[in-house]
Structures are given as C-alpha cells and as structure tokens.
Amino acid sequence: MNITITGARVLTPEGFQDNLALHIKDGVIAALSPALPDDPGQVVDAAGLLCVPGFIDLHVHGGGGHDFSDATVEAFVGAAQAHMLRGTTTLLPTTVCNPPEELERIFAALTATRATQHALPYMPGLHIEGPWINPKQAGAQDPRYILVPTEESTQALLKHGKDVARVTAAPELPGALGLGDTLSAQGVLMSIGHSDADYGQVQEAVRHGYKLVTHLYSGMSTLHRVRAMRVLGVVESAYLMDELDVEIIADGLHLPPELLQLIVRCKPWDKICLVTDSTRGMGLPDGSEIILGSLTAGQKAIVENGVAYMPDFTCFAGSVASSVRCVKTMVEKAHVPLEDAIRMMTLHPSRVLGMESRKGTLAVGMDADITCLTPAWNVRHVFAMGRHAVRDGQITG
Ligand SMILES: [Zn+2]
C-alpha cells in the first residue's frame, strides 16, 4: 500500500527539514521530496507534527500490564503495542534470570507472535539479560537462577539462531570470554552488565566480542581501591574505551538529571543509546500494583510518580518509561539538542544492532519505520515497515 505523509517537519540525516512529502511504498521510503509523487496513495496530513525515525529500544521487559516473561502471544502483543503507541518501531524483548524451561516458552511466544497479523514493532530477537551475571551485581535479578557459562548452555542458546539478538553477561565470570567469542561470531550483540569487572577485565572482554555496556551505572562496578591503588570499574572503563557503546535508562529517575549531564560530557554522543528497561508498569496509572518479572515467580511493586517502587517505597523496582519519554528527558533534563536526543534512540541503536543500512534514519530506501509526534511529545502516528500501525494515537490492528 502506498502512503504519503505531508506537511511535517522531517528529521533527515542532514537535520529537520520542512515541506517534504514522505512517500512510502512496499514497506520502504520510496521518495522524500517537496513535490507529491504521481501516485501518492493514502495521504496523511501531518501538518504541525515532527516526523522522525521510529524509536529503537534495545532493552524492554514489558509494558501495558504485560511482561515478555509471561511467555504468551497476548503478552508479547500487549507489551509491544504499548511501546509502539509511544513511538517504538523496533525493540528487543528482554528476559531476566529464569529457569531454562521458562526461557524456552519465551522463545516459543516470540515465534508465535511473529505469525500473527497484528501491527507490531520489529522484534529481531530476544535480549537475554542473565543468567550469566555476577551475583554481587545482581540488582533485582533472582539469584537462584544465576549461572556460570558452560559450553552446553551456550550451545543450548545458540540452537535458537537469530532469535538471540543480544546477551548481557558479566565478562569476569569463568567461561564468559569464550561465551563472548562464540556468540559474537554468530552475530549476537554482546553486552557487559550486572558485572563487577575492573578495567583490565573490561579490556579483555572487548577483545572477546563485547561491544556494549548494559544500563550504565546500574548493576556494575565503579571506581574503587584495591589496597593503595585506585581501580577503574565498568563505569569508568566505558567512558575511557571508545570501542564500547553505552545504553542509559533515560527516565530521569534511575539516573538523575545531573548524572545524565555528566554522561553526555564524558561519552561521545554517537556512542550513547537510550533505553527504557521498562517493566509491565509502563503505561499503567499511578497506584497500579504490578508483578516484576513473571507472574508466577516475580515480586510485587507499585507504579508511582513515573517509576515502579518496592511496596515499602524504599527503592526503585524498575522503570515505567516509554521511548518518547526518554528522548524528552534527554532534551529537557540533560540539555541535549532534539536531533541528537532522537539519534540516541534511533540511529545509534540501529548501528549497535548492525541495522543502520535499513533502520534508524529517514532516507530513500530505508524501512518505513516512522513516528509522527507533536512538539508536546504526544505520538500521533506510527508507521511500522510501512504499515499505518498507530493512527491519531490509536492502534489500528
Ligand atoms: Zn533489564
């Protein structure tokens, strides 16, 4: 189906441009020019809206009351569409440390979801966050299911092929460097997270295929002393090493505004990706009670003031951010120009995933993954692979 979006301010690789008609044909951007094409198809008037690449979220556990760990088609569709309503067109459903049979059910739910006709964000594969993490940096992860990587468990994961898009692991664990070699050779994005590594161990990890740092500052070592000597943790290593990209939970709460400002001073901007790391509480009203992780084994939390808390309100229990809120936070609280904040949620994660030739920018020949939003950050339209998936703020199918 042909669609032409008219009247919007379009974010092109050269910056925002007015008066461009964006023509979609066969799921890709077929033309981007001031003139309407001869055969415009359905015309969507986007006057007054910003038209930007669809957001790419590398780290999502759930949303809209659903967690991907629920391992049903209903949960996958519900969570994915809750994020799509807020501008996301590509996401990695993210697991937590769980029993192997639960992981198998999640893979099966991904496959079954792809077979449905629903309008959904692109889900290239799962992000496996655990079980190969350091118990000292487990955070909210269930310590019962933490493991050390073995050849057997690596091969068990690899039998899912391309459905494994990313693995977060602690490279200092025995066997974790071999894990990096094996999985990165298969195209899996290897990410350092829930890790107590020092600078030497992070350097070694990079030599073994690790490319990204999972939620910078959360669940990782920082500068510390070993006897008289100061030793860099994962945080400082991530700043120092240009080989490493970082992802940050940009809800403005997990990392306070001053820390977001520090991060954009210390790390090259094209090495920063925004993620929501959101739980099933994303999109639910304040006061909602949610279960973190799977319904059977998870723990209770409460949504309040834009984040999830443990029931006694002593600490955060996960994010409820949307992609558009992360971009807004970087603009309003970290003072990053709008174009750059958007690139942190589009172009940079697409490059990290190796998809920059298809996704992450609006240009002729790219996938038609497009988000149209008001200057007040309300998402009005989303096009996912050329399909008009969100119209006037409503899911179409
Ligand atoms: Zn996570």
Side-chain angles (χ1 to χ4, degrees), residues 86 253 279-290 301-309 313 316 318-321 325:
R86 292 156 180 90
L253 295 165
T279 61
R280 71 173 81 236
M282 196 285 297
L284 300 187
D286 274 1
S288 298
E289 268 196 19
I290 58 166
I302 294 166
V303 178
E304 197 72 56
N305 297 326
V307 70
Y309 286 93
F313 288 89
F316 292 154
S319 149
V320 299
R325 175 171 151 199

Side-chain angles (χ1 to χ4, degrees), residues 59-61 94-96 127 129 141 194 214-215 247 249 277-278:
H59 193 151
V60 193
H61 296 279
T94 301
T95 63
V96 291
H127 167 201
E129 189 182 9
Q141 297 259 20
H194 295 281
T214 300
H215 45 50
E247 65 168 33
I249 304 172
D277 196 7
S278 58

Side-chain angles (χ1 to χ4, degrees), residues 116-395:
T116 69
Q117 297 302 310
H118 293 289
L120 292 171
Y122 178 54
M123 293 183 271
L126 299 184
H127 167 201
I128 311 292
E129 189 182 9
W132 300 306
I133 62 171
N134 192 321
K136 285 191 205 151
Q137 298 286 354
Q141 297 259 20
D142 190 333
R144 288 177 298 168
Y145 303 116
I146 293 176
L147 295 172
V148 164
T150 59
E151 185 59 27
E152 196 189 0
S153 56
T154 308
Q155 292 306 326
L157 190 64
L158 274 178
K159 82 176 190 320
H160 293 286
K162 296 247 176 293
D163 285 351
V164 185
R166 170 180 176 189
V167 166
T168 287
E172 71 277 19
L173 295 181
L177 297 178
L179 180 78
D181 289 328
T182 306
L183 294 185
S184 64
Q186 296 300 317
V188 178
L189 169 62
M190 292 304 294
S191 193
I192 300 171
H194 295 281
S195 164
D196 218 27
D198 61 25
Y199 180 51
Q201 289 167 322
V202 174
Q203 284 182 303
E204 195 65 14
V206 168
R207 285 193 281 273
H208 288 268
Y210 289 79
K211 290 192 169 143
L212 177 65
V213 170
T214 300
H215 45 50
L216 186 70
Y217 283 100
S218 302
M220 63 183 54
S221 51
T222 182
L223 188 72
H224 59 285
R225 261 162 68 162
V226 177
R227 297 195 193 89
M229 303 300 287
R230 285 194 172 78
V231 175
L232 278 62
V234 177
V235 169
E236 297 78 20
S237 304
Y239 283 137
L240 193 55
M241 298 183 72
D242 285 342
E243 300 94 317
L244 283 170
D245 291 87
V246 300
E247 65 168 33
I248 56 176
I249 304 172
D251 65 353
L253 295 165
H254 280 77
L255 306 173
E258 306 75 39
L259 197 48
L260 294 174
Q261 291 164 21
L262 179 68
I263 292 167
V264 298
R265 281 204 195 186
C266 296
K267 191 71 187 168
W269 288 10
D270 64 351
K271 295 274 165 185
I272 298 173
C273 301
L274 312 183
V275 294
T276 63
D277 196 7
S278 58
T279 61
R280 71 173 81 236
M282 196 285 297
L284 300 187
D286 274 1
S288 298
E289 268 196 19
I290 58 166
I291 303 289
L292 279 187
S294 80
L295 289 170
T296 46
Q299 48 186 337
K300 225 191 257 182
I302 294 166
V303 178
E304 197 72 56
N305 297 326
V307 70
Y309 286 93
M310 298 310 281
D312 62 2
F313 288 89
T314 54
C315 61
F316 292 154
S319 149
V320 299
S322 63
S323 49
V324 70
R325 175 171 151 199
C326 290
V327 175
K328 174 179 192 265
T329 300
M330 294 307 284
V331 171
E332 294 183 353
K333 301 200 169 153
H335 314 308
V336 171
L338 178 62
E339 288 94 325
D340 291 295
I342 290 168
R343 287 183 189 116
M344 290 176 186
M345 195 113 220
T346 55
L347 177 61
H348 307 168
S350 81
R351 184 179 41 70
V352 166
L353 285 171
M355 291 178 184
E356 70 271 33
S357 63
R358 291 164 45 208
K359 296 184 184 293
T361 45
L362 298 184
V364 172
M366 302 292 283
D367 287 349
D369 290 340
I370 303 159
T371 289
C372 301
L373 65 159
T374 69
W377 306 102
N378 293 311
V379 172
R380 301 304 303 158
H381 299 282
V382 176
F383 301 84
M385 297 290 288
R387 189 167 168 184
H388 199 168
V390 174
R391 182 179 309 168
D392 297 321
Q394 303 287 331
I395 297 277

Side-chain angles (χ1 to χ4, degrees), residues 88-108:
T88 302
T89 55
T90 297
L91 62 83
L92 299 186
T94 301
T95 63
V96 291
C97 293
N98 55 10
E101 58 280 11
E102 187 173 304
L103 186 57
E104 291 301 316
R105 283 200 298 274
I106 299 170
F107 276 115

